[in-house]
Amino acid sequence: MVSSLDVVVAGGGRVGFQTARILADRGDDVTVIERDEDACADIAEEWFATVIEGDATNPSILEQAGVDDAHVVAALTGETGLNLAVCMAAQDLSPGVRTVARIDRASGEEYTRFVDAVVYPERAGARVAANEIVGSDVQSLADVTGELDIMQIRVAEGAPAAGKTLAEVRFPEGTLVISDDDGERVSRPETTLTPGKRYLVAVESDVVDEVMNLMRG
């Protein structure tokens, strides 16, 4: 089982809202900072995250959100400059915190000198943002339009599928394990899902959780 994280999400719009919900469903402790009163009310009504109304660039608001104890601060508003400012303020208040910023520019990789990771909502949806926040055990390699997600998943020790061949694991319909554990060959029925190894998997959105449970526990 992946350890739960304390995550502060700045921005309760479409991307921030959906990302916070995915993280909460995963078992993470999520706090959302949002300036808009109506958006705060919508999140509070869903009851999946702590909500703080305010400006996430304000140090006192970040402290109220628990930035000192947070593992990750994800700035997911629709404003690139604001997201960078939030991340840099968070790093100043809590130097060890991981920062993730939503960047709406093609040259977003240039901003990794200021933040630990960037996400692009035009190319990646909320699940990709959530995967980036969680870290490298699950990486979405492409956010394919429609109902298909392509991920690189590391098999966890003790997971139901760990140590079994693909022929032995009953993956749900809508799942295709593409690569073997060294990424050099297409998987076969005899491919063993070795704990600690990573596999490229194509998954339809409605069975993602079931696949994750099998491979991550």
Side-chain angles (χ1 to χ4, degrees):
M1 176 71 72
V2 181
S3 299
S4 62
L5 299 175
D6 289 327
V7 182
V8 176
V9 174
R14 179 182 59 84
V15 175
F17 183 97
Q18 294 174 358
T19 301
R21 190 204 299 275
I22 290 170
L23 292 170
D25 288 345
R26 178 184 174 275
D28 295 318
D29 187 3
V30 184
T31 299
V32 177
I33 304 173
E34 169 57 46
R35 292 180 294 189
D36 183 80
E37 182 179 354
D38 291 336
C40 287
D42 290 342
I43 299 168
E45 187 176 348
E46 293 282 343
W47 201 257
F48 60 81
T50 301
V51 187
I52 295 175
E53 184 179 342
D55 180 356
T57 62
N58 185 329
S60 65
I61 295 293
L62 283 171
E63 289 171 342
Q64 184 182 343
V67 68
D68 287 343
D69 298 319
H71 296 97
V72 187
V73 171
L76 303 176
T77 78
E79 303 174 42
T80 294
L82 177 61
N83 293 336
L84 291 171
V86 170
C87 289
M88 287 189 282
Q91 288 174 334
D92 186 61
L93 293 168
S94 181
V97 73
R98 174 177 166 80
T99 54
V100 178
R102 170 183 173 179
I103 302 296
D104 291 321
R105 301 176 187 174
S107 58
E109 291 298 336
E110 296 177 2
Y111 294 97
T112 53
R113 73 181 82 174
F114 305 115
V115 298
D116 294 308
V118 297
V119 293
Y120 310 88
E122 288 78 11
R123 302 204 318 251
R127 186 171 296 281
V128 177
N131 288 343
E132 193 63 70
I133 289 166
V134 170
S136 60
D137 281 353
V138 181
Q139 296 176 322
S140 186
L141 303 182
D143 191 35
V144 181
T145 342
E147 296 299 312
L148 188 65
D149 198 1
I150 299 176
M151 298 182 288
Q152 187 184 57
I153 304 177
R154 183 174 67 84
V155 178
E157 289 281 355
K164 297 180 180 178
T165 66
L166 291 181
E168 296 174 312
V169 181
R170 297 187 62 181
F171 282 106
E173 282 190 33
T175 308
L176 177 64
V177 179
I178 301 169
S179 70
D180 66 358
D181 62 17
D182 60 14
E184 295 182 357
R185 291 183 296 273
V186 173
S187 66
R188 294 165 171 76
E190 63 270 20
T191 295
T192 299
L193 296 172
T194 306
K197 296 290 187 178
R198 299 173 187 272
Y199 300 81
L200 194 63
V201 186
V203 191
E204 292 178 5
S205 61
D206 58 344
V207 295
V208 166
D209 290 341
E210 190 173 346
V211 172
M212 294 293 288
N213 287 336
L214 285 169
M215 298 185 74
R216 296 293 305 152

